[in-house]
Amino acid sequence: MDRLRMLMFWIVWPVVSLVPLVTRAEQPRVSFDIPYAVACRDVTPGEYSTSHPGYKLMEAKLEISSLLTAGQEKDLTEYLIRVESPQRTLTIADYLPKTKHEAIASSIVKEQGSERVVALGINLSEKYELLTVPGPSAGIGSKKTSSVKTELLPPLETVAASGTLERASVVFFKIKSSPRNLLEGTREYGLVLRVPTVWRADYLRIHCEAEGIRRNMISTFDEEIRCGQRDFVVALYQDGDEEARRIAENFARREAAKLVQGPKSKVQGQGNASASRWPYENSPWAAVQR
């Protein structure tokens, strides 16, 4: 019995001792940031006013920064950026970046070979003659081989995906990491918004999320995790309108302060339902209309 216990100890102990080491690698953590307010430029072409009376097009460029505060860059896999108009007062007419595909691997070389064997054999007339046979054959003769190499394009993989939701009141950007497309740093996202001609200011709700890999001592135990998340309220105003800029920035700062005051604000963690419950009269769009 004692021998059996000792045998079980030496079998189980190496496995147990590895358990604390399985999650020793530090997982990545990402922090996001974005300005309080963004100036919008009027980009309405002349013919647009004729075909869409009462509307104009405004361009907003959102610069979203991300910092890797822990872990390694190679363990970041994807960013998800969701931009929406909570009150559905803005319509997204266009956006950048668009869905993009690129080749992750290098060119692929495909080689095709063929083989002809010329052998000395006997024909139906019982005479020797040179015979061509498909493959090695016994006999006296010579062997000739030839091959053709073809360079193929590597398969394309999606490194950026984008599109609209909720009847063009929401736009999403999904940016994936690749050797030529690192995620950390500042990225610019462009929006073209369709607004009324009297538009001066409004706001957006922006959700930023990062996904990565938690590395383990054994690669089989690697797992996908969310390694960063933050929601922002960003005010928009027409470039050159000083009053609208002041109202928009004050609104954005008040909303940001709400995040600090409570453990869970209306923005953090409640999804789209919280946005629909925000008082519309508090938005910069309502303020500039007074």
PDB file of all heavy atoms in Angstrom, residues 148-182:
ATOM      1  N   VAL A 148       7.345  22.183 -63.319  1.00  0.00           N
ATOM      2  CA  VAL A 148       6.910  23.550 -63.585  1.00  0.00           C
ATOM      3  C   VAL A 148       6.621  24.206 -62.238  1.00  0.00           C
ATOM      4  O   VAL A 148       5.867  23.670 -61.425  1.00  0.00           O
ATOM      5  CB  VAL A 148       5.651  23.574 -64.474  1.00  0.00           C
ATOM      6  CG1 VAL A 148       5.180  25.008 -64.676  1.00  0.00           C
ATOM      7  CG2 VAL A 148       5.930  22.904 -65.808  1.00  0.00           C
ATOM      8  N   LYS A 149       7.219  25.387 -61.981  1.00  0.00           N
ATOM      9  CA  LYS A 149       6.979  26.133 -60.759  1.00  0.00           C
ATOM     10  C   LYS A 149       6.091  27.338 -61.058  1.00  0.00           C
ATOM     11  O   LYS A 149       6.384  28.114 -61.957  1.00  0.00           O
ATOM     12  CB  LYS A 149       8.304  26.600 -60.149  1.00  0.00           C
ATOM     13  CG  LYS A 149       9.163  25.473 -59.596  1.00  0.00           C
ATOM     14  CD  LYS A 149      10.392  26.007 -58.910  1.00  0.00           C
ATOM     15  CE  LYS A 149      11.230  24.882 -58.314  1.00  0.00           C
ATOM     16  NZ  LYS A 149      12.448  25.403 -57.622  1.00  0.00           N
ATOM     17  N   THR A 150       5.018  27.466 -60.298  1.00  0.00           N
ATOM     18  CA  THR A 150       4.073  28.561 -60.471  1.00  0.00           C
ATOM     19  C   THR A 150       4.001  29.365 -59.193  1.00  0.00           C
ATOM     20  O   THR A 150       3.819  28.803 -58.110  1.00  0.00           O
ATOM     21  CB  THR A 150       2.671  28.025 -60.814  1.00  0.00           C
ATOM     22  OG1 THR A 150       2.769  27.160 -61.937  1.00  0.00           O
ATOM     23  CG2 THR A 150       1.716  29.166 -61.116  1.00  0.00           C
ATOM     24  N   GLU A 151       4.150  30.702 -59.285  1.00  0.00           N
ATOM     25  CA  GLU A 151       4.072  31.553 -58.109  1.00  0.00           C
ATOM     26  C   GLU A 151       2.636  32.040 -57.952  1.00  0.00           C
ATOM     27  O   GLU A 151       2.107  32.763 -58.803  1.00  0.00           O
ATOM     28  CB  GLU A 151       5.034  32.733 -58.242  1.00  0.00           C
ATOM     29  CG  GLU A 151       5.159  33.537 -56.951  1.00  0.00           C
ATOM     30  CD  GLU A 151       6.334  34.490 -56.987  1.00  0.00           C
ATOM     31  OE1 GLU A 151       7.462  34.049 -57.264  1.00  0.00           O
ATOM     32  OE2 GLU A 151       6.101  35.678 -56.752  1.00  0.00           O
ATOM     33  N   LEU A 152       1.994  31.664 -56.857  1.00  0.00           N
ATOM     34  CA  LEU A 152       0.606  32.002 -56.612  1.00  0.00           C
ATOM     35  C   LEU A 152       0.495  33.160 -55.624  1.00  0.00           C
ATOM     36  O   LEU A 152       1.355  33.350 -54.775  1.00  0.00           O
ATOM     37  CB  LEU A 152      -0.146  30.787 -56.037  1.00  0.00           C
ATOM     38  CG  LEU A 152      -0.110  29.508 -56.880  1.00  0.00           C
ATOM     39  CD1 LEU A 152      -0.847  28.399 -56.148  1.00  0.00           C
ATOM     40  CD2 LEU A 152      -0.739  29.749 -58.249  1.00  0.00           C
ATOM     41  N   LEU A 153      -0.575  33.953 -55.752  1.00  0.00           N
ATOM     42  CA  LEU A 153      -0.834  35.006 -54.787  1.00  0.00           C
ATOM     43  C   LEU A 153      -1.300  34.389 -53.477  1.00  0.00           C
ATOM     44  O   LEU A 153      -2.095  33.449 -53.472  1.00  0.00           O
ATOM     45  CB  LEU A 153      -1.905  35.956 -55.323  1.00  0.00           C
ATOM     46  CG  LEU A 153      -1.503  36.798 -56.545  1.00  0.00           C
ATOM     47  CD1 LEU A 153      -2.691  37.615 -57.010  1.00  0.00           C
ATOM     48  CD2 LEU A 153      -0.333  37.707 -56.212  1.00  0.00           C
ATOM     49  N   PRO A 154      -0.836  34.907 -52.349  1.00  0.00           N
ATOM     50  CA  PRO A 154      -1.265  34.353 -51.055  1.00  0.00           C
ATOM     51  C   PRO A 154      -2.720  34.701 -50.779  1.00  0.00           C
ATOM     52  O   PRO A 154      -3.249  35.678 -51.316  1.00  0.00           O
ATOM     53  CB  PRO A 154      -0.332  35.046 -50.058  1.00  0.00           C
ATOM     54  CG  PRO A 154       0.054  36.316 -50.741  1.00  0.00           C
ATOM     55  CD  PRO A 154       0.112  36.015 -52.206  1.00  0.00           C
ATOM     56  N   PRO A 155      -3.397  33.942 -49.951  1.00  0.00           N
ATOM     57  CA  PRO A 155      -4.791  34.245 -49.626  1.00  0.00           C
ATOM     58  C   PRO A 155      -4.901  35.551 -48.843  1.00  0.00           C
ATOM     59  O   PRO A 155      -4.025  35.896 -48.045  1.00  0.00           O
ATOM     60  CB  PRO A 155      -5.215  33.048 -48.763  1.00  0.00           C
ATOM     61  CG  PRO A 155      -3.944  32.502 -48.216  1.00  0.00           C
ATOM     62  CD  PRO A 155      -2.906  32.733 -49.266  1.00  0.00           C
ATOM     63  N   LEU A 156      -5.984  36.295 -49.087  1.00  0.00           N
ATOM     64  CA  LEU A 156      -6.218  37.554 -48.400  1.00  0.00           C
ATOM     65  C   LEU A 156      -6.960  37.326 -47.093  1.00  0.00           C
ATOM     66  O   LEU A 156      -7.829  36.466 -47.005  1.00  0.00           O
ATOM     67  CB  LEU A 156      -7.025  38.497 -49.289  1.00  0.00           C
ATOM     68  CG  LEU A 156      -6.359  38.932 -50.601  1.00  0.00           C
ATOM     69  CD1 LEU A 156      -7.293  39.824 -51.393  1.00  0.00           C
ATOM     70  CD2 LEU A 156      -5.046  39.654 -50.335  1.00  0.00           C
ATOM     71  N   GLU A 157      -6.607  38.107 -46.086  1.00  0.00           N
ATOM     72  CA  GLU A 157      -7.279  38.053 -44.805  1.00  0.00           C
ATOM     73  C   GLU A 157      -7.790  39.446 -44.445  1.00  0.00           C
ATOM     74  O   GLU A 157      -7.185  40.451 -44.802  1.00  0.00           O
ATOM     75  CB  GLU A 157      -6.331  37.541 -43.710  1.00  0.00           C
ATOM     76  CG  GLU A 157      -5.865  36.112 -43.947  1.00  0.00           C
ATOM     77  CD  GLU A 157      -5.081  35.581 -42.764  1.00  0.00           C
ATOM     78  OE1 GLU A 157      -5.272  36.101 -41.654  1.00  0.00           O
ATOM     79  OE2 GLU A 157      -4.286  34.647 -42.962  1.00  0.00           O
ATOM     80  N   THR A 158      -8.907  39.503 -43.745  1.00  0.00           N
ATOM     81  CA  THR A 158      -9.510  40.773 -43.369  1.00  0.00           C
ATOM     82  C   THR A 158      -8.729  41.392 -42.218  1.00  0.00           C
ATOM     83  O   THR A 158      -8.574  40.789 -41.159  1.00  0.00           O
ATOM     84  CB  THR A 158     -10.967  40.575 -42.941  1.00  0.00           C
ATOM     85  OG1 THR A 158     -11.688  39.964 -44.016  1.00  0.00           O
ATOM     86  CG2 THR A 158     -11.623  41.902 -42.597  1.00  0.00           C
ATOM     87  N   VAL A 159      -8.195  42.606 -42.427  1.00  0.00           N
ATOM     88  CA  VAL A 159      -7.484  43.318 -41.365  1.00  0.00           C
ATOM     89  C   VAL A 159      -8.309  44.489 -40.848  1.00  0.00           C
ATOM     90  O   VAL A 159      -7.996  45.052 -39.798  1.00  0.00           O
ATOM     91  CB  VAL A 159      -6.112  43.815 -41.853  1.00  0.00           C
ATOM     92  CG1 VAL A 159      -5.207  42.648 -42.177  1.00  0.00           C
ATOM     93  CG2 VAL A 159      -6.247  44.723 -43.067  1.00  0.00           C
ATOM     94  N   ALA A 160      -9.351  44.876 -41.565  1.00  0.00           N
ATOM     95  CA  ALA A 160     -10.247  45.936 -41.107  1.00  0.00           C
ATOM     96  C   ALA A 160     -11.624  45.683 -41.695  1.00  0.00           C
ATOM     97  O   ALA A 160     -11.762  45.399 -42.876  1.00  0.00           O
ATOM     98  CB  ALA A 160      -9.732  47.314 -41.535  1.00  0.00           C
ATOM     99  N   ALA A 161     -12.633  45.756 -40.841  1.00  0.00           N
ATOM    100  CA  ALA A 161     -14.021  45.604 -41.280  1.00  0.00           C
ATOM    101  C   ALA A 161     -14.815  46.771 -40.718  1.00  0.00           C
ATOM    102  O   ALA A 161     -14.630  47.170 -39.566  1.00  0.00           O
ATOM    103  CB  ALA A 161     -14.594  44.275 -40.800  1.00  0.00           C
ATOM    104  N   SER A 162     -15.691  47.338 -41.533  1.00  0.00           N
ATOM    105  CA  SER A 162     -16.484  48.475 -41.085  1.00  0.00           C
ATOM    106  C   SER A 162     -17.822  48.475 -41.792  1.00  0.00           C
ATOM    107  O   SER A 162     -17.986  47.875 -42.857  1.00  0.00           O
ATOM    108  CB  SER A 162     -15.740  49.793 -41.348  1.00  0.00           C
ATOM    109  OG  SER A 162     -15.392  49.899 -42.723  1.00  0.00           O
ATOM    110  N   GLY A 163     -18.788  49.149 -41.196  1.00  0.00           N
ATOM    111  CA  GLY A 163     -20.127  49.213 -41.775  1.00  0.00           C
ATOM    112  C   GLY A 163     -21.060  49.972 -40.856  1.00  0.00           C
ATOM    113  O   GLY A 163     -20.683  50.399 -39.757  1.00  0.00           O
ATOM    114  N   THR A 164     -22.303  50.138 -41.292  1.00  0.00           N
ATOM    115  CA  THR A 164     -23.288  50.876 -40.514  1.00  0.00           C
ATOM    116  C   THR A 164     -24.338  49.928 -39.938  1.00  0.00           C
ATOM    117  O   THR A 164     -24.552  48.829 -40.447  1.00  0.00           O
ATOM    118  CB  THR A 164     -23.982  51.938 -41.377  1.00  0.00           C
ATOM    119  OG1 THR A 164     -24.638  51.299 -42.490  1.00  0.00           O
ATOM    120  CG2 THR A 164     -22.989  52.958 -41.896  1.00  0.00           C
ATOM    121  N   LEU A 165     -24.985  50.393 -38.863  1.00  0.00           N
ATOM    122  CA  LEU A 165     -26.069  49.667 -38.206  1.00  0.00           C
ATOM    123  C   LEU A 165     -27.178  50.658 -37.879  1.00  0.00           C
ATOM    124  O   LEU A 165     -26.975  51.885 -37.960  1.00  0.00           O
ATOM    125  CB  LEU A 165     -25.571  48.988 -36.923  1.00  0.00           C
ATOM    126  CG  LEU A 165     -24.434  47.963 -37.060  1.00  0.00           C
ATOM    127  CD1 LEU A 165     -23.900  47.603 -35.675  1.00  0.00           C
ATOM    128  CD2 LEU A 165     -24.902  46.717 -37.793  1.00  0.00           C
ATOM    129  N   GLU A 166     -28.315  50.120 -37.457  1.00  0.00           N
ATOM    130  CA  GLU A 166     -29.435  50.956 -37.006  1.00  0.00           C
ATOM    131  C   GLU A 166     -29.784  52.043 -38.014  1.00  0.00           C
ATOM    132  O   GLU A 166     -29.927  53.219 -37.681  1.00  0.00           O
ATOM    133  CB  GLU A 166     -29.101  51.590 -35.651  1.00  0.00           C
ATOM    134  CG  GLU A 166     -28.758  50.616 -34.548  1.00  0.00           C
ATOM    135  CD  GLU A 166     -29.938  49.760 -34.119  1.00  0.00           C
ATOM    136  OE1 GLU A 166     -31.090  50.193 -34.339  1.00  0.00           O
ATOM    137  OE2 GLU A 166     -29.702  48.661 -33.574  1.00  0.00           O
ATOM    138  N   ARG A 167     -29.933  51.630 -39.265  1.00  0.00           N
ATOM    139  CA  ARG A 167     -30.312  52.547 -40.352  1.00  0.00           C
ATOM    140  C   ARG A 167     -29.354  53.739 -40.454  1.00  0.00           C
ATOM    141  O   ARG A 167     -29.765  54.892 -40.557  1.00  0.00           O
ATOM    142  CB  ARG A 167     -31.750  53.042 -40.166  1.00  0.00           C
ATOM    143  CG  ARG A 167     -32.808  51.932 -40.186  1.00  0.00           C
ATOM    144  CD  ARG A 167     -32.800  51.203 -41.529  1.00  0.00           C
ATOM    145  NE  ARG A 167     -33.766  50.129 -41.589  1.00  0.00           N
ATOM    146  CZ  ARG A 167     -35.042  50.281 -42.010  1.00  0.00           C
ATOM    147  NH1 ARG A 167     -35.481  51.471 -42.370  1.00  0.00           N
ATOM    148  NH2 ARG A 167     -35.846  49.232 -42.066  1.00  0.00           N
ATOM    149  N   ALA A 168     -28.058  53.430 -40.409  1.00  0.00           N
ATOM    150  CA  ALA A 168     -26.979  54.405 -40.610  1.00  0.00           C
ATOM    151  C   ALA A 168     -26.876  55.428 -39.486  1.00  0.00           C
ATOM    152  O   ALA A 168     -26.295  56.499 -39.677  1.00  0.00           O
ATOM    153  CB  ALA A 168     -27.125  55.112 -41.955  1.00  0.00           C
ATOM    154  N   SER A 169     -27.382  55.096 -38.294  1.00  0.00           N
ATOM    155  CA  SER A 169     -27.151  55.964 -37.136  1.00  0.00           C
ATOM    156  C   SER A 169     -25.999  55.438 -36.278  1.00  0.00           C
ATOM    157  O   SER A 169     -25.594  56.081 -35.316  1.00  0.00           O
ATOM    158  CB  SER A 169     -28.417  56.078 -36.284  1.00  0.00           C
ATOM    159  OG  SER A 169     -28.799  54.813 -35.783  1.00  0.00           O
ATOM    160  N   VAL A 170     -25.468  54.268 -36.636  1.00  0.00           N
ATOM    161  CA  VAL A 170     -24.346  53.644 -35.938  1.00  0.00           C
ATOM    162  C   VAL A 170     -23.334  53.172 -36.977  1.00  0.00           C
ATOM    163  O   VAL A 170     -23.727  52.661 -38.035  1.00  0.00           O
ATOM    164  CB  VAL A 170     -24.805  52.449 -35.077  1.00  0.00           C
ATOM    165  CG1 VAL A 170     -23.620  51.782 -34.399  1.00  0.00           C
ATOM    166  CG2 VAL A 170     -25.843  52.868 -34.049  1.00  0.00           C
ATOM    167  N   VAL A 171     -22.065  53.357 -36.686  1.00  0.00           N
ATOM    168  CA  VAL A 171     -21.012  52.822 -37.546  1.00  0.00           C
ATOM    169  C   VAL A 171     -20.022  52.079 -36.655  1.00  0.00           C
ATOM    170  O   VAL A 171     -19.761  52.480 -35.520  1.00  0.00           O
ATOM    171  CB  VAL A 171     -20.298  53.940 -38.341  1.00  0.00           C
ATOM    172  CG1 VAL A 171     -19.620  54.928 -37.412  1.00  0.00           C
ATOM    173  CG2 VAL A 171     -19.282  53.353 -39.323  1.00  0.00           C
ATOM    174  N   PHE A 172     -19.518  50.948 -37.158  1.00  0.00           N
ATOM    175  CA  PHE A 172     -18.548  50.158 -36.390  1.00  0.00           C
ATOM    176  C   PHE A 172     -17.273  49.976 -37.200  1.00  0.00           C
ATOM    177  O   PHE A 172     -17.290  49.955 -38.434  1.00  0.00           O
ATOM    178  CB  PHE A 172     -19.131  48.788 -36.013  1.00  0.00           C
ATOM    179  CG  PHE A 172     -19.320  47.862 -37.185  1.00  0.00           C
ATOM    180  CD1 PHE A 172     -18.304  47.013 -37.600  1.00  0.00           C
ATOM    181  CD2 PHE A 172     -20.515  47.852 -37.885  1.00  0.00           C
ATOM    182  CE1 PHE A 172     -18.464  46.165 -38.688  1.00  0.00           C
ATOM    183  CE2 PHE A 172     -20.697  47.013 -38.973  1.00  0.00           C
ATOM    184  CZ  PHE A 172     -19.669  46.171 -39.371  1.00  0.00           C
ATOM    185  N   PHE A 173     -16.178  49.858 -36.484  1.00  0.00           N
ATOM    186  CA  PHE A 173     -14.868  49.584 -37.083  1.00  0.00           C
ATOM    187  C   PHE A 173     -14.250  48.433 -36.303  1.00  0.00           C
ATOM    188  O   PHE A 173     -14.096  48.519 -35.074  1.00  0.00           O
ATOM    189  CB  PHE A 173     -13.955  50.812 -37.004  1.00  0.00           C
ATOM    190  CG  PHE A 173     -14.505  52.040 -37.658  1.00  0.00           C
ATOM    191  CD1 PHE A 173     -15.173  52.999 -36.902  1.00  0.00           C
ATOM    192  CD2 PHE A 173     -14.358  52.243 -39.012  1.00  0.00           C
ATOM    193  CE1 PHE A 173     -15.684  54.139 -37.491  1.00  0.00           C
ATOM    194  CE2 PHE A 173     -14.866  53.380 -39.627  1.00  0.00           C
ATOM    195  CZ  PHE A 173     -15.532  54.331 -38.855  1.00  0.00           C
ATOM    196  N   LYS A 174     -13.891  47.388 -36.994  1.00  0.00           N
ATOM    197  CA  LYS A 174     -13.217  46.245 -36.382  1.00  0.00           C
ATOM    198  C   LYS A 174     -11.831  46.147 -37.006  1.00  0.00           C
ATOM    199  O   LYS A 174     -11.688  45.795 -38.180  1.00  0.00           O
ATOM    200  CB  LYS A 174     -14.012  44.965 -36.600  1.00  0.00           C
ATOM    201  CG  LYS A 174     -13.459  43.753 -35.870  1.00  0.00           C
ATOM    202  CD  LYS A 174     -14.313  42.519 -36.108  1.00  0.00           C
ATOM    203  CE  LYS A 174     -15.641  42.622 -35.398  1.00  0.00           C
ATOM    204  NZ  LYS A 174     -16.411  41.348 -35.511  1.00  0.00           N
ATOM    205  N   ILE A 175     -10.811  46.474 -36.226  1.00  0.00           N
ATOM    206  CA  ILE A 175      -9.431  46.520 -36.710  1.00  0.00           C
ATOM    207  C   ILE A 175      -8.676  45.336 -36.126  1.00  0.00           C
ATOM    208  O   ILE A 175      -8.605  45.178 -34.902  1.00  0.00           O
ATOM    209  CB  ILE A 175      -8.738  47.836 -36.310  1.00  0.00           C
ATOM    210  CG1 ILE A 175      -9.633  49.039 -36.635  1.00  0.00           C
ATOM    211  CG2 ILE A 175      -7.391  47.955 -37.005  1.00  0.00           C
ATOM    212  CD1 ILE A 175      -9.922  49.204 -38.097  1.00  0.00           C
ATOM    213  N   LYS A 176      -8.104  44.523 -36.999  1.00  0.00           N
ATOM    214  CA  LYS A 176      -7.384  43.338 -36.545  1.00  0.00           C
ATOM    215  C   LYS A 176      -5.876  43.543 -36.646  1.00  0.00           C
ATOM    216  O   LYS A 176      -5.392  44.243 -37.536  1.00  0.00           O
ATOM    217  CB  LYS A 176      -7.804  42.115 -37.367  1.00  0.00           C
ATOM    218  CG  LYS A 176      -9.261  41.729 -37.175  1.00  0.00           C
ATOM    219  CD  LYS A 176      -9.590  40.421 -37.855  1.00  0.00           C
ATOM    220  CE  LYS A 176     -11.031  40.017 -37.591  1.00  0.00           C
ATOM    221  NZ  LYS A 176     -11.366  38.713 -38.198  1.00  0.00           N
ATOM    222  N   SER A 177      -5.173  42.931 -35.735  1.00  0.00           N
ATOM    223  CA  SER A 177      -3.722  43.050 -35.713  1.00  0.00           C
ATOM    224  C   SER A 177      -3.086  42.128 -36.753  1.00  0.00           C
ATOM    225  O   SER A 177      -3.574  41.024 -37.008  1.00  0.00           O
ATOM    226  CB  SER A 177      -3.195  42.697 -34.325  1.00  0.00           C
ATOM    227  OG  SER A 177      -1.784  42.732 -34.297  1.00  0.00           O
ATOM    228  N   SER A 178      -2.009  42.602 -37.342  1.00  0.00           N
ATOM    229  CA  SER A 178      -1.222  41.800 -38.278  1.00  0.00           C
ATOM    230  C   SER A 178       0.216  42.301 -38.207  1.00  0.00           C
ATOM    231  O   SER A 178       0.476  43.362 -37.631  1.00  0.00           O
ATOM    232  CB  SER A 178      -1.775  41.925 -39.707  1.00  0.00           C
ATOM    233  OG  SER A 178      -1.493  43.197 -40.251  1.00  0.00           O
ATOM    234  N   PRO A 179       1.191  41.571 -38.782  1.00  0.00           N
ATOM    235  CA  PRO A 179       2.583  42.034 -38.728  1.00  0.00           C
ATOM    236  C   PRO A 179       2.779  43.422 -39.320  1.00  0.00           C
ATOM    237  O   PRO A 179       3.689  44.145 -38.922  1.00  0.00           O
ATOM    238  CB  PRO A 179       3.331  40.964 -39.543  1.00  0.00           C
ATOM    239  CG  PRO A 179       2.487  39.734 -39.388  1.00  0.00           C
ATOM    240  CD  PRO A 179       1.077  40.210 -39.354  1.00  0.00           C
ATOM    241  N   ARG A 180       1.920  43.830 -40.284  1.00  0.00           N
ATOM    242  CA  ARG A 180       2.039  45.155 -40.881  1.00  0.00           C
ATOM    243  C   ARG A 180       0.957  46.112 -40.395  1.00  0.00           C
ATOM    244  O   ARG A 180       0.819  47.206 -40.922  1.00  0.00           O
ATOM    245  CB  ARG A 180       1.985  45.037 -42.413  1.00  0.00           C
ATOM    246  CG  ARG A 180       3.209  44.390 -43.016  1.00  0.00           C
ATOM    247  CD  ARG A 180       3.117  44.328 -44.517  1.00  0.00           C
ATOM    248  NE  ARG A 180       2.085  43.402 -44.962  1.00  0.00           N
ATOM    249  CZ  ARG A 180       1.786  43.169 -46.237  1.00  0.00           C
ATOM    250  NH1 ARG A 180       2.432  43.819 -47.182  1.00  0.00           N
ATOM    251  NH2 ARG A 180       0.853  42.310 -46.575  1.00  0.00           N
ATOM    252  N   ASN A 181       0.167  45.713 -39.425  1.00  0.00           N
ATOM    253  CA  ASN A 181      -0.937  46.536 -38.942  1.00  0.00           C
ATOM    254  C   ASN A 181      -1.001  46.422 -37.416  1.00  0.00           C
ATOM    255  O   ASN A 181      -1.850  45.731 -36.868  1.00  0.00           O
ATOM    256  CB  ASN A 181      -2.252  46.077 -39.583  1.00  0.00           C
ATOM    257  CG  ASN A 181      -3.416  46.979 -39.230  1.00  0.00           C
ATOM    258  OD1 ASN A 181      -3.290  48.195 -39.230  1.00  0.00           O
ATOM    259  ND2 ASN A 181      -4.549  46.378 -38.922  1.00  0.00           N
ATOM    260  N   LEU A 182      -0.081  47.112 -36.736  1.00  0.00           N
ATOM    261  CA  LEU A 182      -0.044  47.078 -35.284  1.00  0.00           C
ATOM    262  C   LEU A 182      -1.127  47.991 -34.723  1.00  0.00           C
ATOM    263  O   LEU A 182      -1.481  49.007 -35.313  1.00  0.00           O
ATOM    264  CB  LEU A 182       1.335  47.500 -34.786  1.00  0.00           C
ATOM    265  CG  LEU A 182       2.509  46.620 -35.274  1.00  0.00           C
ATOM    266  CD1 LEU A 182       3.822  47.142 -34.720  1.00  0.00           C
ATOM    267  CD2 LEU A 182       2.291  45.165 -34.887  1.00  0.00           C
TER     268      LEU A 182
END
